[in-house]
């Protein structure tokens, strides 16, 4: 099998690439290095003793995509990660987000629809906003997007659904990730945030290693058991496995559907304070933190109903929150050692 992974040197793409190579799949990895480093290839090689075919390519460039599909005429499926992903930045630079996340997808969809190559798309639980009912299942209504980033995911989902409707031989799976955290158990690849991390776990590990002075816990009076927000934190290894299972499901069996949407989470919600306590317990490190005002626009509580992916694809998260946090900490120490 030959799979094209876009954004293949990024956080999630690199973990999926490792798993595909370990299964003996041939991987074509493309990335323009906007939010990743070429050294990630060394990590992938160190873990797998193999390497993907790598192309430094920008999905906004239609000619480069055409050349790629001329060069590789036997691609069985595509897993599309390449996009910008910072919510705050998308508010300041909406055009860059629409150009990259929507424009890049449009360019990619052209050959995929023409050649009927199946696609896995990285969507996000952000499309649900604050859902009325928890856990959130795939039928929960999509709320108006609270950021350009979130809107690019909604547009992406709709674009793909429209293409599937227009061409019944083109099939796709939309994966709505909850909160990916953690790193590969080898600590050879992981999340590498540029600048100040906006997300909880990288901010926490950077605080404990000493790069930041204090973790700010956004809000303490929410209507939750301990007053802090609740999320569904999924180990990146589990998330990567969900892609492997999904691409096999999409390619190898004769599915009747044309486009299906699945949540990818653990089904369990943890509060910010529970994450801090779990980190302290598993690593033995203490987390300096203080409460601050709530973050504008924060969802109070979000965790996934994962029955659909379990039943239809047979995937289920295996790692605990503690294992995910320990791996994030091991990776942070590895970054520190090499910096
Ligand atoms: P990431 O930034 O680590 O990886 C994305 C990769 O795509 C980067 O290596 C970047 O250099 C590359 N890229 C961006 N634009 C490109 C372009 N035009 N051409 C070629 N390469 C390009 O992000 P990630 O955390 O691995 O996320 C992967 C996908 O999952 C994204 O689509 C993101 O929106 C989605 N997602 C992520 C999260 C999360 O919390 N990490 C949650 C939900 C959804
Ligand atoms: C992020 C993304 C969202 C995406 C979702 C799932 C942002 C702003 N949003 O949101 O688009 O769909 O992941 O992948 O990036 N927190 C603190 N202190 C911090 C950082 C976070 O208390 O320094 C809290 C937040 O209030 C929240 C929780 O930790 O309750 C998780 O925050 P974060 O990691 O940013 O994820 P999401 O808010 O779920």
């Amino acid at each position: 099998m030959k799979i094209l992974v876009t954004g293949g040197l990024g956080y999630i793409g690199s973990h999926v690439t490792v798993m595909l190579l370990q299964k003996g799949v041939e991987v074509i990895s493309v990335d323009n290095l906007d939010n990743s480093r070429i050294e990630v290839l060394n990590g992938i090689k160190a873990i797998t003793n193999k390497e993907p075919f790598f192309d430094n390519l920008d999905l906004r460039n239609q000619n480069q995509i055409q050349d790629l599909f001329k060069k590789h005429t036997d691609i069985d499926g595509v897993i599309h990660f390449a996009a910008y992903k910072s919510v705050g930045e998308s508010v300041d630079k909406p055009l860059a987000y629409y150009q990259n996340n929507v424009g890049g997808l449009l360019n990619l969809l052209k050959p995929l629809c023409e050649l009927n190559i199946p696609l896995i798309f990285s969507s996000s639980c952000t499309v649900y906003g604050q859902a009325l009912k928890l856990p959130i299942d795939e039928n929960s209504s999509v709320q108006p997007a609270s950021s350009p980033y979130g809107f690019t995911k909604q547009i992406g989902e709709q674009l793909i659904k429209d293409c599937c409707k227009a061409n019944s031989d083109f099939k796709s799976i939309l994966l709505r990730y909850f909160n990916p955290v953690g790193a590969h158990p080898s600590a050879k690849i992981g999340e590498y945030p540029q600048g100040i991390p906006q997300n909880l776990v990288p901010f926490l590990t950077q605080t404990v290693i000493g790069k930041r002075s204090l973790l700010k816990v956004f809000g303490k009076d929410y209507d939750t058991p301990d007053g802090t927000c609740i999320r569904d934190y999924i180990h990146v290894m589990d998330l990567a496995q969900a892609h492997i299972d999904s691409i096999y499901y999409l390619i190898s069996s004769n599915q009747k559907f044309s486009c299906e949407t699945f949540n990818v989470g653990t089904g369990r919600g943890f509060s910010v304070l529970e994450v801090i306590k779990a980190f302290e317990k598993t690593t033995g490190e203490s987390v300096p933190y203080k409460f601050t005002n709530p973050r504008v626009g924060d969802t109070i509580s979000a965790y996934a109903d994962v029955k659909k992916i379990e039943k239809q694809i047979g995937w289920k998260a295996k790692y605990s929150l503690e294992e995910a946090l320990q791996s994030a900490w091991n990776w942070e120490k590895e970054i520190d050692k090499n910096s």
Side-chain angles (χ1 to χ4, degrees):
M1 195 151 85
K2 194 187 258 192
I3 301 295
L4 168 64
V5 180
T6 77
L9 297 191
Y11 173 40
I12 306 168
S14 56
H15 289 78
V16 169
T17 299
V18 161
M19 279 192 190
L20 287 169
L21 290 172
Q22 285 174 332
K23 282 189 87 70
V25 173
E26 218 178 307
V27 179
I28 303 159
S29 168
V30 300
D31 204 301
N32 66 357
L33 304 177
D34 259 14
N35 198 36
S36 52
R37 301 160 311 129
I38 195 70
E39 290 77 21
V40 174
L41 274 176
N42 299 334
I44 293 171
K45 279 183 225 166
I47 298 167
T48 62
N49 279 322
K50 294 180 184 170
E51 52 186 305
F53 173 89
F54 177 70
D55 212 340
N56 184 336
L57 170 156
D58 194 318
L59 289 177
R60 285 166 294 197
N61 187 322
Q62 178 82 70
N63 294 334
Q64 289 185 352
I65 296 183
Q66 273 170 4
D67 290 348
L68 182 78
F69 281 88
K70 270 188 211 146
K71 192 151 73 182
H72 304 279
T73 51
D74 51 355
I75 295 172
D76 296 297
V78 176
I79 309 182
H80 177 50
F81 295 106
Y84 292 151
K85 63 163 179 177
S86 164
V87 172
E89 187 185 59
S90 79
V91 175
D92 296 332
K93 300 179 183 167
L95 286 182
Y97 272 69
Y98 290 115
Q99 258 157 5
N100 200 33
N101 296 9
V102 180
L105 174 62
L106 273 174
N107 286 343
L108 186 64
L109 278 171
K110 194 170 182 303
L112 300 194
C113 291
E114 281 169 9
L115 302 165
N116 299 326
I117 301 175
L119 166 72
I120 307 270
F121 176 66
S122 299
S123 188
S124 166
C125 67
T126 195
V127 301
Y128 297 120
Q130 179 59 66
L132 296 175
K133 193 173 129 272
L134 293 166
I136 305 171
D137 69 27
E138 290 82 354
N139 294 321
S140 296
S141 57
V142 167
Q143 305 283 341
S146 56
S147 71
Y149 167 73
F151 196 37
T152 66
K153 291 298 168 193
Q154 296 188 7
I155 297 171
E157 287 194 0
Q158 192 59 49
L159 275 175
I160 294 167
K161 283 180 192 160
D162 289 345
C163 290
C164 290
K165 221 182 275 173
N167 171 7
S168 59
D169 291 325
F170 171 59
K171 295 190 190 305
S172 180
I173 284 179
L174 315 175
L175 295 180
R176 291 177 175 162
Y177 315 155
F178 280 67
N179 289 58
V181 292
H184 194 273
S186 66
K188 292 189 191 310
I189 54 170
E191 189 172 13
Y192 207 93
Q194 315 263 337
I196 302 171
Q198 304 301 310
N199 298 112
L200 177 64
V201 172
F203 202 103
L204 188 160
T205 55
Q206 287 198 6
T207 305
V208 177
I209 206 99
K211 285 186 188 148
R212 317 266 156 220
S213 56
L214 208 58
L215 171 70
K216 293 177 189 153
V217 175
F218 299 140
K220 64 177 172 51
D221 298 318
Y222 284 107
D223 184 16
T224 60
D226 66 18
T228 63
C229 292
I230 293 175
R231 296 288 186 276
D232 186 336
Y233 297 94
I234 175 166
H235 196 309
V236 68
M237 294 296 287
D238 275 328
L239 179 58
Q241 187 63 50
H243 288 78
I244 308 302
D245 295 352
S246 300
I247 195 81
Y248 273 91
Y249 178 77
L250 194 56
I251 291 174
S252 54
S253 44
N254 246 343
Q255 303 304 333
K256 296 265 184 297
F257 70 83
S258 58
C259 184
E260 279 275 13
T261 305
F262 296 98
N263 285 339
V264 195
T266 66
R268 283 204 59 190
F270 289 96
S271 72
V272 179
L273 288 181
E274 284 175 325
V275 171
I276 293 173
K277 280 187 202 130
F279 182 89
E280 289 183 330
K281 186 164 166 238
T282 191
T283 64
E285 303 285 340
S286 72
V287 180
Y289 72 90
K290 68 166 184 185
F291 290 105
T292 64
N293 289 334
R295 182 168 66 178
V296 177
D298 240 342
T299 298
I300 301 169
S301 204
Y303 51 97
D305 182 321
V306 285
K307 285 198 277 295
K308 186 177 175 191
I309 191 165
E310 269 182 51
K311 194 163 163 244
Q312 220 167 308
I313 298 189
W315 172 89
K316 196 175 187 307
K318 292 194 177 82
Y319 288 88
S320 66
L321 176 65
E322 284 78 8
E323 286 169 311
L325 294 172
Q326 182 67 54
S327 70
W329 178 232
N330 294 345
W331 169 241
E332 187 67 60
K333 287 190 285 186
E334 194 62 26
I335 297 176
D336 193 56
K337 210 165 72 189
N338 297 319
S339 63

